[in-house]
C-alpha cells in the first residue's frame, strides 16, 4: 500500500513535474534550439498518448506486477539525458503509427466533436425547458403564499380556484 503511494508520487514528480520544469527552463532560455523544443514537444506528445491509452487500458494494466515501476522507468527513460528515449519512441513507434492512421483519427475526432456539440445543445435545451417549468411552479407558489399570508380565519378561501388556476396548468 505504501509502496504504491511512493511509486505514484515518484511517477508524478519524475514523469510530470520535473519534465515540466525542464520544459519551462527550455522555453524561457534566451537562445533555445529547435532540437530542444522538438525533444520536449515529442516528450509531451508521448506522455499525452500514453495517458489516454492508460485510461482505457487501466482495468487490464493495474493488475500487472510492477506496473507502476515499469511506468516510472519508461518516463525516466524518455527524458533521461543519456538515453533520450523520446526520440527513439517517437520516431520508431508513435510517428509511423499516427502517420498511417492520421486520416482515421481526424475523421473520428470530427465525428466526436459533432456528437458532443449535438449532445450539449440537446441538454441545454432540456435544461432551459425544465428551468422555465420550475420558475412557473415557483411563481405560482409565491403567488399563493401571498394570497394566504393574511388571516385565513376571517377570509374565506375558494380552494377550487387554486386547483383550476390556469397559470399553474400551463
Amino acid at each position: 500500500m505504501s509502496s504504491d503511494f511512493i511509486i505514484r508520487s515518484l511517477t508524478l514528480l519524475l514523469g510530470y513535474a520535473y519534465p515540466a520544469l525542464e520544459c519551462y527552463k527550455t522555453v524561457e532560455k534566451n537562445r533555445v534550439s529547435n532540437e530542444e523544443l522538438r525533444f520536449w514537444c515529442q516528450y509531451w506528445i508521448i506522455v499525452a498518448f500514453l495517458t489516454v491509452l492508460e485510461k482505457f487500458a487501466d482495468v487490464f494494466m493495474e493488475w500487472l506486477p510492477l506496473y507502476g515501476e515499469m511506468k516510472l522507468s519508461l518516463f525516466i527513460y524518455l527524458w533521461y539525458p543519456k538515453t533520450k528515449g523520446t526520440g527513439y519512441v517517437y520516431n520508431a513507434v508513435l510517428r509511423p503509427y499516427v502517420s498511417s492512421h492520421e486520416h482515421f483519427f481526424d475523421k473520428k475526432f470530427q465525428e466526436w466533436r459533432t456528437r458532443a456539440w449535438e449532445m450539449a445543445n440537446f441538454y441545454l435545451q432540456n435544461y432551459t425547458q425544465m428551468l422555465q417549468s420550475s420558475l412557473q411552479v415557483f411563481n405560482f407558489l409565491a403567488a399563493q403564499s401571498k394570497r394566504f399570508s393574511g388571516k385565513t380565519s376571517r377570509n374565506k378561501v375558494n380552494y377550487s380556484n387554486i386547483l383550476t388556476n390556469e397559470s399553474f396548468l400551463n
Side-chain angles (χ1 to χ4, degrees):
M1 180 102 165
S2 64
S3 65
D4 186 46
F5 174 75
I6 292 169
I7 292 297
R8 286 180 186 232
S9 298
L10 285 174
T11 301
L12 188 64
L13 289 173
L14 298 175
Y16 296 96
Y18 177 73
L21 178 64
E22 290 299 315
C23 187
Y24 171 79
K25 287 179 183 179
T26 301
V27 169
E28 291 300 317
K29 281 184 185 176
N30 286 335
R31 291 188 171 246
V32 62
S33 70
N34 284 342
E35 199 172 304
E36 286 179 283
L37 286 176
R38 185 176 180 86
F39 171 80
W40 286 114
C41 284
Q42 288 174 347
Y43 176 82
W44 289 114
I45 291 168
I46 292 169
V47 168
F49 201 75
L50 290 173
T51 303
V52 169
L53 286 177
E54 183 184 33
K55 293 300 175 193
F56 289 108
D58 197 30
V59 174
F60 306 109
M61 301 293 273
E62 281 283 320
W63 63 269
L64 285 174
L66 302 175
Y67 170 69
E69 289 82 353
M70 289 186 292
K71 182 178 172 183
L72 177 60
S73 300
L74 175 64
F75 280 140
I76 292 172
Y77 168 75
L78 289 173
W79 61 255
Y80 190 66
K82 290 186 180 179
T83 60
K84 296 248 182 182
T86 295
Y88 176 75
V89 171
Y90 184 84
N91 292 321
V93 179
L94 189 66
R95 184 176 176 187
Y97 179 76
V98 173
S99 294
S100 65
H101 296 89
E102 188 172 3
H103 179 69
F104 172 76
F105 289 142
D106 288 340
K107 184 179 171 184
K108 282 298 176 188
F109 279 120
Q110 184 62 37
E111 287 176 15
W112 292 342
R113 186 180 303 140
T114 303
R115 284 186 195 168
W117 184 250
E118 289 171 355
M119 190 181 307
N121 281 334
F122 173 77
Y123 283 110
L124 183 63
Q125 288 173 355
N126 284 341
Y127 176 74
T128 54
Q129 288 174 355
M130 288 176 52
L131 185 62
Q132 284 178 334
S133 298
S134 299
L135 288 175
Q136 286 177 349
V137 168
F138 179 73
N139 285 337
F140 172 77
L141 292 175
Q144 296 306 315
S145 69
K146 287 179 186 175
R147 193 173 181 185
F148 292 115
S149 64
K151 295 180 181 177
T152 57
S153 61
R154 291 183 186 168
N155 302 330
K156 291 189 177 181
V157 177
N158 186 357
Y159 289 102
S160 63
N161 246 359
I162 294 171
L163 296 177
T164 60
N165 190 340
E166 292 209 8
S167 66
F168 178 73
L169 296 175
N170 287 338

